[in-house]
Every structure is written in C-alpha cells, then in structure tokens.
Amino acid sequence: DQIIPFQDALKWRKSKKLALKQVAAGVGVSVSSISAWEKGERLPSLDHLLRVSEFTGIPVCAFFQFCKTTQCPFLNGQDS
C-alpha cells in the first residue's frame, strides 16, 4: 500500500464539502497544485505544507508516515 501524504487533507476537504478551488484559494495556490498533492503526484514546499496545515487544522506531522506508524502526540491529543 502506498501512503499518500495528503489523504487526510482530501478526506477533510470532502467532509467539509469544499471544492478544490475553495481550498486552493484558502491556501494561496493553484487548483492543480491541490489536486496533484491529493493524488500523490507532487509534494508541496514546506511553506505550502504549513499553509495547508493552518487552513485545514490538520497537524503537519499528519502528512508524514510518522503519524501513520507511531503514536503521534498531536493526533492523540497529548501535545503540550
């Protein structure tokens, strides 16, 4: 199984019933960038990753395999 880093962002977007255009505007990138990130075709720069995290409320670590294989304190409410 390939882990697509933006799978959580895609789920978040769909749960909020937001169009790609709305997320792109909120993050400040093109629609094609958001689409490519969600499909795993490209990865964002660190600056864009931080903007996505801020816009979605998804912790940055959730975009990495680290959180998929370990106990991420941010996703488990243990951050201090």
Side-chain angles (χ1 to χ4, degrees):
D1 288 334
Q2 177 187 10
I3 294 177
I4 299 174
F6 275 75
Q7 200 167 30
D8 290 332
L10 173 61
K11 289 177 190 173
W12 176 87
R13 180 175 68 77
K14 287 187 174 186
S15 76
K16 301 292 183 188
K17 297 182 175 37
L18 294 173
L20 283 169
K21 186 175 182 177
Q22 293 170 291
V23 176
V27 175
V29 298
S30 67
V31 170
S32 63
S33 290
I34 297 290
S35 178
W37 298 343
E38 287 183 350
K39 293 175 186 174
E41 295 172 352
R42 291 194 316 244
L43 294 175
S45 67
L46 179 56
D47 180 55
H48 289 149
L49 180 61
L50 292 171
R51 286 195 240 165
V52 170
S53 178
E54 185 177 294
F55 182 77
T56 63
I58 298 170
V60 171
C61 71
F63 295 106
F64 297 94
Q65 190 171 356
F66 166 80
C67 285
K68 309 294 186 205
T69 60
T70 65
Q71 294 296 319
C72 175
F74 296 101
L75 295 181
N76 293 313
Q78 300 168 12
D79 56 320
S80 48

